[in-house]
């Protein structure tokens, strides 16, 4: 009997604790689709905009809390309301765990979403097309509801790259130049003292010399205080593309390692992986071991998640790794302000062998949700946002006089006391920025235009813009490969193996066992199909044709 | 007719109890039973357009990844061993602490120590990870600074897979013990005080009281908590493991990789809901079998303590 009462008590106790748990868990709010249902509308002639619609735009980023976005939207919506009887609403996918959140948001079948920010290299564009998350857009529809955008994209002949099974799914951000090729930021003043000619690093090996000098002469500075936790593949890929003519396929990485699959320029029709074939990875891993032994990064680099960029501004890291746009928009202005005379420079991968591709046109794009209740109106709103100067400036820069100013020479400036860390608009309209309307930022490095022109002149066109890989067919093997890579690459990238060569041999054997050949064959089959349709893969440079560079230059400067 | 009135009567007589159960029942129906058909995703090649039940059936293909990666054994072993240690040692610690709290006569001291032990439970695992890094890292960590100052050779803790089971175990105990002991402490408080008083009158020492009255009374609570915990034996404390080991430091995988961290690492960028569901199903089925089996054993030994 006593046993029983104890047991009852215990059960009651547990039930009570469960109840508290269940009550606590019941807080989540439901998200009901708020889209009013309006029919497909009309067929020809006058566009019917008699019903007021709310257009919901999905962007990536943290929702700003400073009220600037709301202030801007109020003004913008007044215009949109007047012109197309619609208003714009924002849905943010916050950066925390954005990969999952983004895909879940699309998966949820939410009928209130209309405009969606996507990308084929970093936002699972093709995968989501194949999975049916986006609505196919007919040319008539685009022509009718987004005429200006349609005309511009047609002129640039970019609809082809947006097609899957002959239907258009993306509106590319193709009239906006943004170089995102990766590389290393370093200090020109130190490089000069390290004995590097002109203080300009032009070869990968010179980084060793630079780091060595810092190690010996700057005791308070870690040569490159990288957070290995956030860059698990290190710069192995950077070495590979600087030492070979390897070009990776965007958007079909293995786990965190986005440059695993690709081709050699010399043999553009054959799928390969430098991690599996060739000697560059051995050389890269040896070099990284040398760096690790030298103390280029801290011992616990793989568990460190500090911010090398901030440290570089503060003078405690000698280098930082990221892409070109970060260099000319942030690194130069910040370094000049915080480390006067440091002469910040950028050594980008592929500099020495000119292995650089033009930016992807689908590095960002707009798609219409498959569940959108009013795609026509969404396109009309989009066309205004992308092409109407007033709307464009409001959306991207905010309210003139409060969020931004235009200088006398037509550049973008910020009002007195503006602090980008607290006052930013964060509207993140990466669905269709437009160089015709873009204001050149006066806070950026003033050499930006020349820098871009130079890259334009040496870069080749990325030939795989419309190369769609059937990722569903290979996903389970890809996961197995990802698992092998996650075991080896972080340690190879930061020189943690005593014998990197032996580790690479082991890794290759394991990759082989995990289904490397199957995945390769599957991608090769896709590539064969692509080649059959589009002809041999070629890497076209417009080198020498100075007018192209100039055209890009002027288009970026005009407003 | 007669039966019906009986049911109504039972309902009426126990209405307060039933009402108290209601939130829990509703919770489980909504969050645990309604989503159950979604398990189907694990057997399909899921795509958005066709939805959960329209997507093509692909049998056990999604489970292949777990097996073909060759990691299943290591992951299952790590997950189960860690959890066994947490469950068994954890419960023992919790009971011991509850007993000690019960013996403390100074009310003020009792409250303070309870609060201090309780506190770690509310510290985020992200913070625990950061604290651990600041203690253990090679260049600036507290531990290694101490070792250097005293003339020793600093330890590369983040390259030593062997010590991590101890570190993880310690952190888990530190975080969970205070909270868990409350359940036992409450159970002790619920013991009929006349029993203990009678024992005192008969001259029983505290040890004898614990040994012959308190511990046997806790047996029921212990077994129920144990059975519940066993159901989750395939589920690791993802946050703790991920934050302590950093997630990408592959030097530690051999001893710290559990199913959750493995799945997160390999699947997070793959956008593959089917395979993820397959892994979840594997964990659930394994846990279910284990609970049924342990319950069956408990029933054999003493049916009074079995869950059902």
């Amino acid at each position: 009997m006593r046993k029983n009462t104890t047991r009852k008590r215990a059960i009651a106790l547990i039930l009570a604790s469960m109840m508290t748990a269940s009550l606590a868990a019941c807080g989540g709010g439901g998200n009901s689709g708020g889209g009013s249902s309006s029919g497909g509308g009309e067929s020809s002639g006058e566009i019917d905009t008699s019903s007021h619609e709310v257009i919901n735009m999905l962007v990536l980023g943290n929702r700003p809390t400073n009220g600037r976005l709301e202030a801007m939207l109020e003004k913008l919506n007044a215009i949109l309301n007047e012109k197309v009887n619609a208003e714009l609403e924002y849905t943010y996918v916050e950066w925390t765990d954005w990969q999952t959140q983004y895909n879940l948001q699309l998966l949820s079948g939410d009928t209130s979403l209309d405009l969606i920010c996507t990308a084929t290299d970093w936002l699972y564009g093709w995968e989501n097309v194949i999975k049916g998350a986006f609505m196919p857009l007919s040319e008539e529809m685009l022509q009718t509801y987004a005429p200006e955008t349609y005309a511009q994209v047609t002129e640039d002949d970019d609809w082809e790259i947006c097609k899957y099974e002959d239907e258009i799914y993306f509106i590319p951000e193709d009239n906006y130049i943004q170089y995102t090729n990766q590389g290393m930021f370093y200090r020109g003043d130190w490089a000069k003292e390290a004995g590097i000619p002109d203080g300009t690093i032009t070869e990968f090996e010179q980084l060793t010399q630079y780091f060595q000098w810092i190690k010996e002469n700057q005791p308070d500075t870690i040569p490159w205080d990288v957070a290995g936790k956030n860059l698990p593949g290190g710069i192995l890929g950077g070495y590979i593309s600087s030492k070979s003519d390897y070009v990776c396929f965007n958007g079909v990485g293995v786990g965190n390692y986005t440059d695993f699959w690709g081709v050699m320029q010399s043999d553009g029709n054959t799928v390969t992986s430098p991690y599996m074939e060739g000697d560059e990875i051995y050389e890269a891993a040896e070099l990284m071991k040398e760096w690790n032994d030298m103390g280029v990064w801290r011992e616990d680099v793989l568990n460190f998640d500090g911010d090398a960029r901030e440290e570089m501004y503060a003078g405690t890291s000698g280098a930082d790794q990221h892409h070109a746009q970060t260099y000319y928009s942030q690194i130069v202005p910040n370094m000049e302000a915080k480390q006067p005379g440091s002469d910040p420079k950028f050594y980008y991968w592929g500099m020495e062998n000119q292995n650089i591709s033009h930016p992807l046109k689908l590095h960002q794009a707009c798609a219409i949700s498959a569940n959108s209740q009013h795609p026509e109106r969404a396109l009309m709103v989009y066309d205004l946002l992308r092409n109407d100067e007033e709307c464009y400036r409001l959306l991207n820069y905010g309210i003139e006089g409060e969020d931004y100013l235009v200088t006398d020479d037509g550049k973008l400036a910020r009002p007195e006391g503006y602090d980008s860390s607290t006052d930013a608009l964060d509207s993140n309209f990466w669905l269709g920025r437009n160089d015709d309307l873009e204001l050149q930022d006066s806070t950026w490095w003033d050499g930006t235009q020349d820098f871009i022109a130079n890259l334009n002149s040496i870069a080749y066109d990325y030939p795989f813009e419309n190369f769609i890989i059937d990722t569903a067919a290979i996903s389970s093997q890809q996961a197995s490969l990802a698992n092998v890579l996650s075991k080896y690459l972080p340690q190879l990238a930061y020189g943690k193996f005593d014998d990197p060569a032996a580790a690479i041999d082991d890794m290759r054997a394991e990759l082989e066992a995990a289904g490397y050949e199957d995945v390769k064959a599957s991608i090769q089959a896709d590539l064969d199909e692509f080649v059959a349709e589009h002809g041999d893969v070629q890497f076209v440079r417009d080198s020498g044709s100075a007018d192209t560079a100039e055209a890009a230059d002027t288009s970026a400067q005009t407003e | 007719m007669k039966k019906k009135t009986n049911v109504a009567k039972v309902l009426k007589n126990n209405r307060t109890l039933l009402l108290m159960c209601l939130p829990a029942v509703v919770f489980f129906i909504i969050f645990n039973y309604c989503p159950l058909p979604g398990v189907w995703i694990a057997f399909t090649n899921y795509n958005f357009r066709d939805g959960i039940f329209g997507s093509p059936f692909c049998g056990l293909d999604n489970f292949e990844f777990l097996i073909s990666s060759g990691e299943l054994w290591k992951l299952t072993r790590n997950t189960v061993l860690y959890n066994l240690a947490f469950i068994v040692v954890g419960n023992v610690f919790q009971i011991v602490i509850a007993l000690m709290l019960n013996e403390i006569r100074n009310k003020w001291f009792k409250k303070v120590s309870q609060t201090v032990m309780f506190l770690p439970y509310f510290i985020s695992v992200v913070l625990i990870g950061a604290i651990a890094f600041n203690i253990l890292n090679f260049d600036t960590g507290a531990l290694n600074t101490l070792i250097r100052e005293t003339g020793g050779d600093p330890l590369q803790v983040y390259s030593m897979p062997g010590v991590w089971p101890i570190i993880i175990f310690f952190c888990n105990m530190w975080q969970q013990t205070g909270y868990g002991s409350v359940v036992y402490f409450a159970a002790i408080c619920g013991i009929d005080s006349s029993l203990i008083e009678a024992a005192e009158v008969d001259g029983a020492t505290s040890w004898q009281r614990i040994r012959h009255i308190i511990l046997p009374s806790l047996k029921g609570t212990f077994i129920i908590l144990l059975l519940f915990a066993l159901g989750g034996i395939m589920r690791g404390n993802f946050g703790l493991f991920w934050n302590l080991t950093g997630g990408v430091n592959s030097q530690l995988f051999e001893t710290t990789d559990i199913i959750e961290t493995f799945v997160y690492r390999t699947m997070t960028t793959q956008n593959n809901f089917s395979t993820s569901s397959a892994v979840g199903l594997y964990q659930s089925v394994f846990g279910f079998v284990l609970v049924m089996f342990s319950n069956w054993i408990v029933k054999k030994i003493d049916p009074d303590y079995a869950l059902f």
Side-chain angles (χ1 to χ4, degrees), chain A residues 170-241:
Chain A
F170 302 125
I171 308 174
E173 194 185 53
D174 62 340
N175 195 28
Y176 176 76
I177 190 117
Q178 175 192 33
Y179 269 94
T180 54
N181 54 327
Q182 306 270 330
M184 190 74 84
F185 315 129
Y186 62 96
R187 298 177 55 145
D189 56 342
W190 289 357
K192 197 173 263 175
E193 287 194 51
I196 293 163
D198 195 27
T200 303
I201 294 175
T202 52
E203 281 174 31
F204 210 96
E205 287 75 10
Q206 288 173 328
L207 286 169
T208 313
Q209 193 179 340
Y210 175 73
F211 290 147
Q212 184 76 51
W213 182 88
I214 294 175
K215 197 72 203 164
E216 285 162 7
N217 298 285
Q218 298 287 342
D220 296 332
T221 302
I222 295 178
W224 176 32
D225 199 6
V226 55
K229 202 173 170 179
N230 304 324
L231 190 68
I235 54 174
L236 294 171
Y239 184 91
I240 289 165
S241 44

Side-chain angles (χ1 to χ4, degrees), chain A residues 100-366:
Chain A
T100 318
Q101 294 307 325
Y102 178 79
N103 287 307
L104 272 180
Q105 187 64 261
L106 295 188
L107 161 93
S108 69
D110 188 343
T111 51
S112 74
L113 286 178
D114 301 294
L115 300 168
I116 294 171
C117 179
T118 182
T120 55
D121 54 347
W122 67 285
L123 274 177
Y124 314 93
W126 294 122
E127 276 175 66
N128 280 312
V129 167
I130 295 169
K131 291 193 172 178
F134 303 141
M135 184 180 282
L137 307 166
S138 70
E139 300 221 11
E140 297 75 55
M141 199 169 156
L142 288 162
Q143 207 164 1
T144 315
Y145 300 105
E148 283 197 59
T149 308
Y150 180 77
Q152 178 257 306
V153 179
T154 308
E155 195 190 319
D156 292 342
D157 200 16
D158 285 334
W159 289 121
E160 271 314 301
I161 58 170
C162 303
K163 285 183 178 172
Y164 172 68
E165 291 180 347
D166 277 333
E167 302 223 60
I168 297 171
Y169 283 90
F170 302 125
I171 308 174
E173 194 185 53
D174 62 340
N175 195 28
Y176 176 76
I177 190 117
Q178 175 192 33
Y179 269 94
T180 54
N181 54 327
Q182 306 270 330
M184 190 74 84
F185 315 129
Y186 62 96
R187 298 177 55 145
D189 56 342
W190 289 357
K192 197 173 263 175
E193 287 194 51
I196 293 163
D198 195 27
T200 303
I201 294 175
T202 52
E203 281 174 31
F204 210 96
E205 287 75 10
Q206 288 173 328
L207 286 169
T208 313
Q209 193 179 340
Y210 175 73
F211 290 147
Q212 184 76 51
W213 182 88
I214 294 175
K215 197 72 203 164
E216 285 162 7
N217 298 285
Q218 298 287 342
D220 296 332
T221 302
I222 295 178
W224 176 32
D225 199 6
V226 55
K229 202 173 170 179
N230 304 324
L231 190 68
I235 54 174
L236 294 171
Y239 184 91
I240 289 165
S241 44
S242 299
K243 297 295 172 188
S244 70
D245 59 351
Y246 176 69
V247 180
C248 72
F249 300 136
N250 287 302
V252 66
V254 176
N256 288 320
Y257 308 100
T258 50
D259 60 349
F260 189 82
W261 295 108
V263 299
M264 292 294 171
Q265 284 176 49
S266 49
D267 186 9
N269 296 344
T270 311
V271 176
T272 185
S273 170
Y275 293 93
M276 201 58 191
E277 287 155 47
D279 293 330
E280 287 83 11
I281 181 76
Y282 288 95
E283 296 162 17
E286 285 295 344
L287 185 63
M288 294 307 135
K289 177 160 171 50
E290 189 188 329
W291 285 10
N292 182 56
D293 295 345
M294 197 201 288
V296 166
W297 38 69
R298 55 179 76 207
E299 172 63 35
D300 297 317
V301 56
L302 286 169
N303 286 81
F304 179 62
D305 62 356
D307 187 342
R309 192 162 310 151
E310 285 300 328
E311 288 188 44
M312 193 177 171
Y313 297 157
T316 55
S317 174
D320 179 33
Q321 187 276 344
H322 208 238
H323 60 58
Q325 175 129 342
T326 308
Y327 172 66
Y328 50 72
S329 68
Q330 296 175 31
I331 298 291
V332 180
N334 273 302
M335 282 301 277
E336 281 174 353
K338 292 172 183 167
Q339 297 286 333
S342 60
D343 187 21
K345 289 188 177 172
F346 181 44
Y347 165 75
Y348 47 85
W349 316 140
M351 185 186 240
E352 56 204 279
N353 58 354
Q354 308 219 321
N355 185 6
I356 297 152
S357 113
H358 274 141
L360 234 70
K361 287 172 173 166
L362 292 172
H363 177 57
Q364 258 121 39
C366 170

Side-chain angles (χ1 to χ4, degrees), chain A residues 377-395:
Chain A
R377 201 71 63 84
L379 284 172
M380 293 167 82
V381 168
Y382 176 78
D383 206 36
L384 282 174
L385 297 181
R386 176 165 164 150
N387 300 297
D388 181 275
E389 185 171 52
E390 197 182 1
C391 293
Y392 189 85
R393 285 193 178 181
L394 269 171
L395 184 65

Side-chain angles (χ1 to χ4, degrees), chain B residues 94 117-126 128 168-180 237 239-240:
Chain B
Q94 286 162 10
M117 277 187 291
F118 213 84
L119 217 55
Y121 185 78
F122 297 102
I123 297 181
S124 143
V125 282
V126 179
I128 295 180
I168 290 173
F169 179 76
F170 175 81
C171 288
N172 188 73
M173 287 299 117
W174 177 71
Q175 198 181 18
Q176 303 289 343
T177 306
Y179 186 81
N237 184 345
L240 184 74

